Amino acid sequence: MTTSLFDLYKIGIGPSSSHTMGPMRAAHRFASSLGDLFSSTERIQVDIYGSLALTGIGHGTDRAVLLGLTGEEASTIDPATIETKLGEIRSNNTIALLGTKRVAFRESGDVVFHRDLMFPPGAAIQHPNGVKFSAFDATNHLLSEQVYFSIGGGFVIADGETAPSLPGSASSIPFPFTSAAELLATAATHGITIAELMLANESEHRSAEEVRSGILNIWHVMRACVERGMSTEGILPGGLNVRRRAKQLAERLTTKGLRSRGGDPLAPLDWVTVYAMAVNEENAAGGRVVTAPTNGAAGVVPAVALYYQNFINGADEDGLLRYFLTSAAIGILYKENASISGAEVGCQGEVGVACSMAAGALVAALGGSNEEIEHAAEIGMEHNLGMTCDPIGGLVQIPCIERNAMGAVKAVHACRMAMNETDGHKISLDQIIRTMYLTGLDMQSRYKETSLAGLALNVIEC
């Protein structure tokens, strides 16, 4: 286990963790790596491949690399300033590397989308989200070149690296685990819950109070995202003319008197739908979101957490902390044993994983057993197996926004099924994670975030 809760839940901007946040991080990392060559650099070229090239415009990859080269970070940039910053680069045909050294930069020639090449030529890693950065001096001599891969959830690796550079390691935490079976066994041996195990692991790198406050800050950002989404109207950018619906849906539910626990017994699920759609409408608009575990699936976890907070009698802060700690343990299993990249395994690796995380986490928040957590997480993925990633126009809008709502509702049902079962279950979480990964590898590449098949091909853009 090398992934932290705070690696999995990253504050950033929409519309995509793999196609926006990842390339922004890669660009910043390349500019920072120039070292002694920085002063000699007079031009930067960016070559984009595979899924990043095929859906990069819709996902804002071009915008992201420009911002990253100027030193911007997805976690700190103010979304309201992005258009001004991009306008300056494009109007002046220059870019200020790390905000200090201004070099020539003509976007039409210096950002190249290789839509006919799935991988950068000669790269050791074969992942469909590849981007190459090249730095040249005043004589157009190549000074430095590096290929990076955005592997999902905002994680980035350089070509030849085996894993992202993360602070934790299995040897530096008290309860390492590499599988769900090991997670359950370790927790049982020590008589602790999965949430307690995760808290102990996270507390190796920061104090328990810092872990707690960090989680609550993530929750604050998530709630703010939901509130913005539920109070904003208009048409989402990108050309599909998709109308924001969360605000209108919330107003209808409120008018019908269904905000409270009374009234229609299924009203809470309507609110789960609204919460999830609010987040992903904000994401589609390029707003502030939290990867959970990705941007494309960012609505599921907060929607189910709000279901717990707003509709469960006795819900409290401790329950929310159990929720996030447990969801992270489940997400780590997918991240380290399979994939959370839609470009690698389809949307089962994004909304499917988020559904699995939220299902198990809700069990934990409700005080369920570790075994019930594992069962709910398994159910959450079992019924998302094979789900493709086929966004229309390369935009994180159709089917992504509604798909988050469906994933959140499925998570609630998976939790209830697991907690009402008394005789165990046949399929383990480890088996379902392995199945998801192999299914993703078998899936044709045109169904994996390329917009070359499925809804993206059969629905006319308008």
Side-chain angles (χ1 to χ4, degrees):
M1 172 188 166
T2 60
T3 307
S4 163
L5 178 151
F6 298 103
D7 299 315
L8 206 62
Y9 288 117
K10 292 186 289 294
I11 298 170
I13 58 170
S16 173
S17 48
S18 60
H19 287 54
T20 313
M21 288 174 59
M24 188 184 297
R25 286 180 134 196
H28 186 280
R29 183 173 168 184
F30 177 73
S32 300
S33 74
L34 290 172
D36 294 341
L37 300 174
F38 187 83
S39 60
S40 303
T41 299
E42 295 297 334
R43 185 173 75 86
I44 296 289
Q45 180 168 315
V46 185
D47 293 274
I48 302 171
Y49 301 86
S51 175
L52 286 184
L54 289 164
T55 63
I57 298 297
H59 285 67
T61 303
D62 51 340
R63 299 154 59 89
V65 294
L66 268 60
L67 294 168
L69 288 171
T70 66
E72 297 288 354
E73 296 274 8
S75 60
T76 56
I77 189 171
D78 180 357
T81 67
I82 289 176
E83 294 304 326
T84 300
K85 295 177 188 296
L86 292 173
E88 182 181 348
I89 295 169
R90 289 164 172 168
S91 62
N92 296 330
N93 289 322
T94 63
I95 192 167
L97 295 180
L98 299 181
T100 59
K101 179 177 174 57
R102 191 164 292 279
V103 302
F105 192 85
R106 188 176 294 274
E107 187 178 0
S108 60
D110 291 333
V111 178
V112 183
F113 288 90
H114 297 277
R115 295 178 176 87
D116 58 337
L117 294 174
M118 187 56 67
F119 311 110
I125 296 174
Q126 300 286 282
H127 190 286
N129 286 344
V131 55
K132 180 176 71 174
F133 295 91
S134 305
F136 300 87
D137 65 14
T139 65
N140 213 35
H141 171 73
L142 180 64
L143 297 174
S144 179
E145 182 178 277
Q146 182 62 59
V147 171
Y148 298 93
F149 294 91
S150 180
I151 60 174
F155 291 94
V156 171
I157 58 174
D159 189 34
E161 288 181 345
T162 57
S165 300
L166 301 173
S169 69
S171 61
S172 64
I173 56 177
F175 302 118
F177 59 91
T178 58
S179 68
E182 186 176 8
L183 175 63
L184 289 174
T186 301
T189 296
H190 295 276
I192 56 177
T193 66
I194 291 173
E196 289 168 337
L197 181 151
M198 279 295 296
L199 179 59
N201 285 348
E202 293 293 339
S203 298
E204 282 297 300
H205 307 295
R206 50 183 65 82
S207 71
E209 184 52 41
E210 287 175 324
V211 174
R212 185 184 184 96
S213 63
I215 292 172
L216 293 178
N217 181 59
I218 288 168
W219 178 226
H220 170 77
V221 175
M222 285 181 169
R223 289 201 322 273
C225 182
V226 173
E227 290 165 5
R228 287 195 307 275
M230 288 172 51
S231 62
T232 307
E233 296 179 300
I235 302 298
L236 293 172
L240 285 182
N241 295 317
V242 172
R243 175 177 54 85
R244 284 179 178 252
R245 290 180 287 165
K247 182 177 186 292
Q248 184 181 48
L249 289 171
E251 289 173 347
R252 285 188 63 191
L253 291 175
T254 302
T255 300
K256 291 166 65 178
L258 298 177
R259 177 172 290 280
S260 68
R261 294 178 175 85
D264 182 351
L266 292 181
L269 293 184
D270 291 332
W271 281 105
V272 169
T273 296
V274 171
Y275 300 148
M277 291 180 65
V279 171
N280 283 84
E281 286 174 357
E282 275 297 293
N283 179 62
R288 173 77 64 219
V289 297
V290 179
T291 61
T294 68
N295 281 26
V300 177
V301 168
V304 176
L306 277 169
Y307 164 80
Y308 167 75
Q309 182 183 72
N310 294 341
F311 294 100
I312 299 299
N313 288 319
D316 58 16
E317 191 174 275
D318 286 340
L320 285 168
L321 291 168
R322 292 195 300 272
Y323 179 89
F324 282 102
L325 288 163
T326 304
S327 68
I330 297 166
I332 287 167
L333 290 172
Y334 283 99
K335 172 70 182 64
E336 298 193 357
N337 293 313
S339 174
I340 57 172
S341 168
E344 189 173 17
V345 295
C347 197
Q348 57 173 358
E350 297 200 32
V351 169
V353 171
C355 178
S356 183
M357 291 167 60
L362 183 56
V363 173
L366 295 173
S369 69
N370 290 342
E371 289 72 23
E372 288 170 336
I373 290 168
E374 187 264 355
H375 189 188
E378 181 274 321
I379 295 172
M381 174 54 75
E382 183 177 345
H383 303 289
N384 281 293
L385 286 175
M387 186 161 59
T388 61
C389 183
D390 53 351
I392 297 174
L395 297 165
V396 192
Q397 297 178 17
I398 303 174
C400 315
I401 295 170
E402 288 185 0
R403 189 169 282 176
N404 273 260
M406 296 299 295
V409 170
K410 277 186 181 182
V412 175
H413 286 313
C415 165
R416 296 175 70 87
M417 289 176 69
M419 295 190 76
N420 284 320
E421 179 59 68
T422 59
D423 296 326
H425 59 293
K426 296 292 185 182
I427 302 173
S428 72
L429 179 55
D430 288 325
Q431 288 171 324
I432 215 71
I433 291 173
R434 180 63 176 165
T435 301
M436 183 276 281
Y437 187 51
L438 294 177
T439 300
L441 296 182
D442 287 342
M443 192 182 294
Q444 293 183 19
S445 61
R446 61 200 186 111
Y447 289 101
K448 295 188 285 189
E449 211 163 355
T450 60
S451 290
L452 296 176
L455 282 174
L457 183 66
N458 290 297
V459 176
I460 298 174
E461 296 177 37
C462 55

